[in-house]
Amino acid sequence: EQQVQQSPASLVLQEGENAELQCSFSIFTNQVQWFYQRPGGRLVSLLYNPSGTKQSGRLTSTTVIKERRSSLHISSSQITDSGTYLCAMERSGNYAQGLTFGLGTRVSVFP
Amino acid sequence: GPKVLQIPSHQIIDMGQMVTLNCDPVSNHLYFYWYKQILGQQMEFLVNFYNGKVMEKSKLFKDQFSVERPDGSYFTLKIQPTALEDSAVYFCASSLIWGEDEQYFGPGTRLTVL
């Protein structure tokens, strides 16, 4: 069973469009982190958002823990936003555990 | 922001040989992790490490794998002996506190087992 579900699996945008990426969890978590993975594989942490709404530049994440979901909004997309966006969560527990990742949303931005 | 370094960036070895992947975590962090990503597939947790001990490991963390951080130096992942299915990118991560803290990831080591 996939504990972290991401949707959509892929997304094609025209430069300047906004996008909303979704993430849902099959179990409760107290830690949600969004990453961007470059085509070459390098992982970039975008937002650490265990609850509520957080913004970083053109990115806004909203996490509703009791509903076991998180979203990432990309505003005014740019060609350089192309890549895979990964959502990850850490199971609630009494010590730091590993992150469980989703399969990702592949975003392609065209001029 | 805080940086995690990994050495080497690429490693090619023959099946059956031993390999050690090195991670230089954020200097004041206390929790350390290894993740594995096979090309084109999902990132998966391998193991986490705190206070000199393995805290949790996944089913991917085979008996041939071991981790250590001797005397606060590199946090290492050793595979002995290696197998073809160990070919992947291995990412190291670290965090300061448990339960409510961001994990910082290194750039990964691409391991190719021939």
Side-chain angles (χ1 to χ4, degrees):
Chain A
E1 180 205 2
Q2 197 65 239
Q3 293 187 326
V4 180
Q5 303 266 11
Q6 290 192 245
S7 62
S10 61
L11 195 55
V12 178
L13 301 168
Q14 191 165 23
E15 193 175 17
E17 286 185 327
N18 299 333
E20 187 94 359
L21 282 55
Q22 303 289 343
C23 187
S24 63
F25 318 109
S26 62
I27 58 176
F28 281 102
T29 177
N30 59 0
Q31 190 162 332
V32 178
Q33 204 164 340
W34 284 91
F35 297 87
Y36 165 73
Q37 189 160 39
R38 301 182 196 276
R42 180 98 184 220
L43 202 64
V44 177
S45 180
L46 296 175
L47 282 165
Y48 170 71
N49 185 24
S51 66
T53 298
K54 283 200 174 178
Q55 184 176 0
S56 175
R58 295 182 292 106
L59 302 176
T60 303
S61 172
T62 298
T63 298
V64 185
I65 284 295
K66 62 181 180 182
E67 294 180 11
R68 292 183 283 168
R69 61 177 175 85
S70 181
S71 64
L72 181 70
H73 184 264
I74 306 172
S75 63
S76 303
S77 62
Q78 300 176 359
I79 293 171
T80 51
D81 293 336
S82 297
T84 300
Y85 291 77
L86 300 174
C87 170
M89 65 93 174
E90 186 163 345
R91 287 174 290 140
S92 299
N94 57 2
Y95 55 84
Q97 303 174 26
L99 292 171
T100 300
F101 285 78
L103 293 173
T105 294
R106 184 168 296 188
V107 173
S108 302
V109 184
F110 293 96
Chain B
K3 288 202 183 303
V4 175
L5 304 176
Q6 290 188 242
I7 302 163
S9 57
H10 293 86
Q11 179 89 51
I12 301 174
I13 59 169
D14 291 323
M15 182 176 64
Q17 283 191 311
M18 182 195 75
V19 68
T20 300
L21 309 184
N22 298 293
C23 171
D24 188 10
V26 178
S27 60
N28 61 337
H29 282 186
L30 301 175
Y31 294 82
F32 313 111
Y33 313 80
W34 283 104
Y35 294 82
K36 176 182 179 181
Q37 187 177 36
I38 294 173
L39 188 63
Q41 297 187 23
Q42 190 172 6
M43 179 85 72
E44 295 192 274
F45 165 73
L46 281 177
V47 64
N48 69 359
F49 190 83
Y50 167 73
N51 198 25
K53 290 182 284 193
V54 169
M55 299 300 293
E56 184 188 22
K57 55 187 180 181
S58 73
K59 61 182 184 298
L60 296 180
F61 193 78
K62 305 181 296 184
D63 291 343
Q64 297 91 323
F65 288 20
S66 62
V67 291
E68 63 175 357
R69 192 183 188 214
D71 300 323
S73 60
Y74 287 146
F75 175 51
T76 63
L77 173 66
K78 183 185 292 186
I79 309 174
Q80 181 178 27
T82 50
L84 295 176
E85 61 265 27
D86 296 331
S87 293
V89 179
Y90 291 84
F91 291 91
C92 171
S94 69
S95 65
L96 176 60
I97 58 176
W98 59 264
E100 299 176 347
D101 192 29
E102 179 176 2
Q103 290 186 25
Y104 292 84
F105 279 70
T109 293
R110 186 176 298 274
L111 176 66
T112 302
V113 181
L114 303 175

Coordinates of all heavy atoms in Angstrom, one line a residue, chain B residues 50-90:
Chain B
Y50 N 21.2 7.4 15.7 CA 21.3 8.5 16.7 C 22.1 8.0 17.9 O 22.0 6.8 18.3 CB 19.9 8.8 17.2 CG 19.8 9.7 18.4 CD1 20.2 11.0 18.4 CD2 19.4 9.1 19.6 CE1 20.2 11.8 19.5 CE2 19.4 9.9 20.8 CZ 19.8 11.2 20.7 OH 19.8 12.0 21.9
N51 N 23.0 8.8 18.4 CA 23.7 8.5 19.6 C 24.5 7.2 19.4 O 24.6 6.4 20.4 CB 22.8 8.5 20.8 CG 23.5 8.6 22.1 OD1 24.6 9.2 22.1 ND2 23.0 8.1 23.1
G52 N 25.1 7.0 18.2 CA 25.9 5.8 18.0 C 25.1 4.5 17.7 O 25.8 3.5 17.7
K53 N 23.8 4.6 17.6 CA 23.1 3.4 17.4 C 22.0 3.5 16.2 O 21.5 4.6 16.0 CB 22.3 3.1 18.7 CG 23.2 2.6 19.8 CD 22.3 2.3 21.0 CE 21.8 3.5 21.7 NZ 21.2 3.2 23.1
V54 N 21.8 2.4 15.6 CA 20.7 2.3 14.6 C 19.4 2.4 15.4 O 19.1 1.6 16.3 CB 20.8 1.0 13.8 CG1 19.5 0.9 13.0 CG2 22.0 1.1 12.9
M55 N 18.5 3.4 15.0 CA 17.2 3.5 15.7 C 16.1 2.7 15.0 O 15.3 2.1 15.6 CB 16.8 5.0 15.8 CG 17.8 5.8 16.6 SD 18.0 5.3 18.3 CE 16.3 5.6 18.9
E56 N 16.2 2.8 13.7 CA 15.2 2.1 12.9 C 15.8 1.8 11.5 O 16.6 2.5 11.0 CB 13.9 3.0 12.6 CG 12.8 2.3 11.9 CD 11.7 3.3 11.5 OE1 11.9 4.5 11.5 OE2 10.5 2.8 11.3
K57 N 15.4 0.6 11.0 CA 15.8 0.3 9.6 C 14.7 -0.4 8.9 O 13.8 -1.0 9.5 CB 17.0 -0.7 9.7 CG 16.8 -1.9 10.5 CD 18.1 -2.7 10.6 CE 17.9 -4.0 11.4 NZ 19.1 -4.8 11.6
S58 N 14.7 -0.2 7.6 CA 13.7 -0.7 6.7 C 14.1 -2.1 6.2 O 15.2 -2.6 6.5 CB 13.4 0.2 5.5 OG 14.5 0.1 4.6
K59 N 13.2 -2.8 5.5 CA 13.5 -4.1 5.0 C 14.6 -4.1 3.9 O 15.1 -5.1 3.5 CB 12.2 -4.8 4.5 CG 11.5 -4.1 3.4 CD 10.3 -4.8 3.0 CE 9.6 -4.2 1.8 NZ 9.1 -2.9 2.0
L60 N 14.8 -2.9 3.4 CA 15.9 -2.7 2.4 C 17.2 -2.7 3.0 O 18.2 -2.9 2.2 CB 15.7 -1.4 1.6 CG 14.4 -1.2 0.8 CD1 14.4 0.1 0.1 CD2 14.3 -2.3 -0.3
F61 N 17.3 -2.5 4.3 CA 18.6 -2.5 4.9 C 19.1 -3.9 5.2 O 18.8 -4.5 6.3 CB 18.5 -1.7 6.2 CG 19.8 -1.3 6.8 CD1 20.6 -0.2 6.3 CD2 20.3 -2.0 7.9 CE1 21.8 0.1 6.8 CE2 21.6 -1.6 8.5 CZ 22.3 -0.6 7.9
K62 N 19.7 -4.5 4.2 CA 20.1 -5.9 4.3 C 21.3 -6.1 5.3 O 21.9 -5.2 5.8 CB 20.6 -6.4 2.9 CG 19.5 -6.1 1.8 CD 20.0 -6.7 0.5 CE 21.3 -5.9 0.0 NZ 21.7 -6.4 -1.3
D63 N 21.5 -7.4 5.6 CA 22.6 -7.7 6.5 C 23.9 -7.3 6.0 O 24.9 -7.1 6.8 CB 22.6 -9.3 6.8 CG 21.4 -9.7 7.5 OD1 20.7 -8.9 8.2 OD2 21.1 -11.0 7.5
Q64 N 24.1 -7.1 4.7 CA 25.3 -6.7 4.1 C 25.6 -5.2 4.4 O 26.7 -4.7 4.1 CB 25.4 -6.9 2.6 CG 25.3 -8.4 2.3 CD 23.8 -8.9 2.1 OE1 22.9 -8.4 2.8 NE2 23.7 -9.8 1.1
F65 N 24.6 -4.5 4.9 CA 24.7 -3.0 5.1 C 25.1 -2.8 6.6 O 24.7 -3.5 7.5 CB 23.4 -2.3 4.8 CG 23.0 -2.2 3.4 CD1 23.5 -3.1 2.4 CD2 22.0 -1.3 3.0 CE1 23.1 -3.0 1.1 CE2 21.7 -1.2 1.7 CZ 22.2 -2.1 0.7
S66 N 25.9 -1.7 6.8 CA 26.2 -1.3 8.1 C 26.4 0.2 8.1 O 26.8 0.8 7.1 CB 27.4 -2.0 8.7 OG 28.6 -1.7 8.0
V67 N 26.1 0.8 9.2 CA 26.4 2.3 9.4 C 27.1 2.6 10.6 O 27.0 1.8 11.6 CB 25.0 3.1 9.4 CG1 24.4 3.1 8.0 CG2 24.1 2.6 10.4
E68 N 27.9 3.7 10.6 CA 28.6 4.1 11.8 C 29.0 5.6 11.6 O 29.0 6.1 10.5 CB 29.8 3.2 12.1 CG 30.9 3.3 11.1 CD 32.1 2.5 11.5 OE1 32.1 1.9 12.6 OE2 33.0 2.4 10.7
R69 N 29.3 6.2 12.8 CA 29.8 7.5 12.8 C 30.9 7.6 13.8 O 30.7 8.0 15.0 CB 28.8 8.6 13.0 CG 29.3 10.0 12.7 CD 28.4 11.1 13.0 NE 28.9 12.3 12.5 CZ 28.7 13.5 13.1 NH1 28.0 13.6 14.2 NH2 29.2 14.6 12.6
P70 N 32.1 7.1 13.5 CA 33.1 7.0 14.6 C 33.6 8.4 15.0 O 34.0 9.2 14.1 CB 34.2 6.2 13.9 CG 34.0 6.3 12.4 CD 32.5 6.5 12.2
D71 N 33.5 8.7 16.3 CA 34.1 9.9 16.8 C 33.7 11.2 16.1 O 34.5 12.1 15.9 CB 35.6 9.8 16.8 CG 36.2 8.7 17.6 OD1 35.5 8.4 18.7 OD2 37.1 8.1 17.2
G72 N 32.4 11.3 15.7 CA 31.9 12.5 15.1 C 32.4 12.8 13.8 O 32.3 14.0 13.3
S73 N 33.0 11.9 13.1 CA 33.5 12.1 11.8 C 32.4 11.9 10.8 O 31.3 12.1 11.1 CB 34.8 11.2 11.5 OG 34.4 9.9 11.6
Y74 N 32.8 11.3 9.6 CA 31.8 11.0 8.6 C 30.8 10.0 9.1 O 31.1 9.1 9.9 CB 32.4 10.5 7.3 CG 33.1 11.5 6.5 CD1 34.3 11.1 5.8 CD2 32.7 12.8 6.3 CE1 35.0 12.0 5.0 CE2 33.4 13.7 5.5 CZ 34.5 13.3 4.9 OH 35.2 14.2 4.1
F75 N 29.5 10.2 8.7 CA 28.5 9.1 8.9 C 28.6 8.3 7.6 O 28.5 8.7 6.5 CB 27.1 9.8 9.0 CG 26.0 8.9 9.1 CD1 25.9 7.8 9.9 CD2 24.9 9.1 8.2 CE1 24.9 7.0 10.0 CE2 23.8 8.2 8.3 CZ 23.8 7.2 9.2
T76 N 28.9 7.0 7.8 CA 29.1 6.1 6.7 C 28.1 5.0 6.5 O 27.5 4.5 7.5 CB 30.5 5.5 6.8 OG1 30.5 4.6 8.0 CG2 31.6 6.5 6.9
L77 N 28.0 4.6 5.3 CA 27.2 3.5 4.9 C 28.1 2.5 4.2 O 28.7 2.9 3.2 CB 26.0 3.8 4.0 CG 25.2 2.6 3.4 CD1 24.5 1.9 4.4 CD2 24.2 3.2 2.3
K78 N 28.3 1.3 4.8 CA 29.2 0.3 4.2 C 28.3 -0.8 3.6 O 27.4 -1.3 4.3 CB 30.1 -0.2 5.2 CG 31.2 -1.2 4.7 CD 32.1 -1.7 5.8 CE 33.0 -0.7 6.4 NZ 33.9 -1.3 7.3
I79 N 28.7 -1.3 2.4 CA 28.0 -2.4 1.9 C 29.1 -3.5 1.6 O 30.0 -3.2 0.8 CB 27.3 -2.1 0.5 CG1 26.4 -0.8 0.7 CG2 26.4 -3.3 0.1 CD1 25.7 -0.3 -0.6
Q80 N 28.9 -4.6 2.2 CA 29.9 -5.7 2.0 C 29.3 -7.0 2.2 O 28.8 -7.4 3.3 CB 31.0 -5.5 3.1 CG 32.1 -6.5 3.0 CD 33.2 -6.3 4.0 OE1 33.0 -5.8 5.1 NE2 34.4 -6.8 3.7
P81 N 29.2 -7.9 1.1 CA 29.7 -7.5 -0.3 C 28.5 -6.9 -1.0 O 27.4 -7.0 -0.7 CB 29.9 -8.9 -0.8 CG 28.9 -9.8 -0.2 CD 28.7 -9.2 1.2
T82 N 28.9 -6.2 -2.1 CA 27.9 -5.5 -2.9 C 27.3 -6.5 -3.9 O 27.9 -7.5 -4.3 CB 28.5 -4.4 -3.7 OG1 29.7 -4.9 -4.4 CG2 28.9 -3.2 -2.9
A83 N 26.0 -6.2 -4.3 CA 25.3 -7.0 -5.3 C 24.8 -6.0 -6.4 O 24.7 -4.8 -6.2 CB 24.1 -7.7 -4.6
L84 N 24.4 -6.6 -7.5 CA 24.0 -5.8 -8.6 C 22.8 -4.9 -8.3 O 22.7 -3.8 -8.7 CB 23.6 -6.7 -9.8 CG 24.7 -7.5 -10.5 CD1 24.1 -8.4 -11.6 CD2 25.8 -6.6 -11.0
E85 N 21.9 -5.4 -7.4 CA 20.7 -4.7 -7.1 C 21.0 -3.5 -6.1 O 20.1 -2.7 -5.8 CB 19.6 -5.6 -6.4 CG 20.1 -6.3 -5.2 CD 20.6 -7.7 -5.4 OE1 21.1 -7.9 -6.6 OE2 20.5 -8.5 -4.5
D86 N 22.3 -3.4 -5.7 CA 22.6 -2.2 -4.9 C 22.9 -1.0 -5.7 O 23.1 0.1 -5.1 CB 23.9 -2.6 -4.0 CG 23.6 -3.7 -3.1 OD1 22.5 -3.9 -2.6 OD2 24.6 -4.4 -2.7
S87 N 22.9 -1.1 -7.0 CA 23.1 0.0 -7.9 C 21.9 1.0 -7.7 O 20.8 0.6 -7.9 CB 23.2 -0.4 -9.3 OG 24.3 -1.1 -9.6
A88 N 22.3 2.2 -7.3 CA 21.2 3.2 -7.0 C 22.0 4.5 -6.6 O 23.2 4.6 -6.5 CB 20.4 2.8 -5.8
V89 N 21.2 5.6 -6.3 CA 21.7 6.8 -5.7 C 21.4 6.7 -4.3 O 20.2 6.4 -3.9 CB 21.1 8.0 -6.4 CG1 21.7 9.3 -5.7 CG2 21.4 8.1 -7.9
Y90 N 22.4 6.9 -3.4 CA 22.2 6.9 -2.0 C 22.3 8.3 -1.4 O 23.3 9.0 -1.7 CB 23.2 6.0 -1.3 CG 23.0 4.5 -1.7 CD1 23.5 4.0 -2.9 CD2 22.3 3.7 -0.8 CE1 23.3 2.6 -3.2 CE2 22.1 2.4 -1.1 CZ 22.6 1.8 -2.3 OH 22.4 0.5 -2.6

